[in-house]
Amino acid sequence: MKLEIWSNKVAIECDVNTELIIFTATVFLEFWKRRRAVLTYDWDLIDWEDEEISLVLTAVFAVVVYRLVAMEQFASFQWYFIKKYWQFATSGTGVCINFMIIMSLNVVYEKVAYLLTDLEHPRTDSEWENSFALKMFLFQFVNLNSSIFYIAFFLGR
């Protein structure tokens, strides 16, 4: 069975099955948006993603600012060795600070992953472990590779 819809003097043939699929998909998406909003409110996660991303960007930005300030200070240092090798001193201290940031964020992300997994209320221990492992993997991937992405895409520009 086909329906003919006249719009602007052009006939568009629509299959009833197509209309049913479009209607079902629209209703499903609207109910999913509502369910997602309810869960976000119940778990108090309204601005959580923004906070996490801003924390990582702040850490990367802090290392960049540190390197700029350290470069200026090491270039005007009184000791001959540091004055001659100021680029090495700047990079070395920047790497140490970046390492401390990565290690501290690992501790923070582990606590956040634990908290989020508990908020999910998984039914079994296996579901809890799978959910926790996924969150830890994603957090550590972002945390450990943010420096590599910075070097690859932003440092050379």
Side-chain angles (χ1 to χ4, degrees):
M1 172 187 245
K2 295 197 180 229
L3 294 174
E4 285 190 22
I5 300 172
W6 289 88
S7 174
N8 294 333
K9 299 181 181 177
V10 176
I12 303 172
E13 292 187 15
C14 294
D15 195 2
V16 174
N17 190 27
T18 306
E19 295 283 329
L20 184 63
I21 290 172
I22 292 171
F23 176 75
T24 306
T26 305
V27 170
F28 173 78
L29 286 176
E30 291 303 317
F31 277 113
W32 173 246
K33 287 180 193 175
R34 181 181 173 150
R35 176 73 176 147
R36 182 174 173 250
V38 168
L39 291 176
T40 302
Y41 179 77
D42 287 345
W43 294 344
D44 195 24
L45 298 173
I46 293 172
D47 294 327
W48 184 79
E49 288 180 13
D50 297 335
E51 292 171 3
E52 174 196 278
I53 292 170
S54 65
L55 180 65
V56 172
L57 291 177
T58 302
V60 170
F61 182 72
V63 170
V64 171
V65 169
Y66 168 78
R67 286 183 58 124
L68 292 173
V69 171
M71 180 176 57
E72 177 66 31
Q73 292 299 317
F74 285 143
S76 63
F77 211 69
Q78 299 299 326
W79 295 347
Y80 173 74
F81 179 78
I82 293 182
K83 192 171 187 174
K84 183 177 179 184
Y85 299 107
W86 62 269
Q87 291 175 332
F88 178 74
T90 302
S91 296
T93 54
V95 165
C96 291
I97 290 174
N98 197 19
F99 173 74
M100 289 186 289
I101 289 172
I102 287 173
M103 297 312 285
S104 61
L105 284 178
N106 268 343
V107 172
V108 169
Y109 286 153
E110 183 177 358
K111 293 180 189 223
V112 169
Y114 190 86
L115 176 71
L116 288 176
T117 306
D118 279 345
L119 287 175
E120 287 178 10
H121 301 296
R123 287 182 251 174
T124 63
D125 287 341
S126 177
E127 284 182 11
W128 190 93
E129 289 174 2
N130 289 339
S131 180
F132 181 73
L134 176 66
K135 286 175 186 57
M136 283 302 297
F137 171 77
L138 293 174
F139 284 147
Q140 287 186 356
F141 177 81
V142 169
N143 193 24
L144 297 175
N145 293 315
S146 62
S147 299
I148 295 170
F149 288 130
Y150 166 72
I151 290 169
F153 298 112
F154 299 111
L155 187 62
R157 292 182 184 198

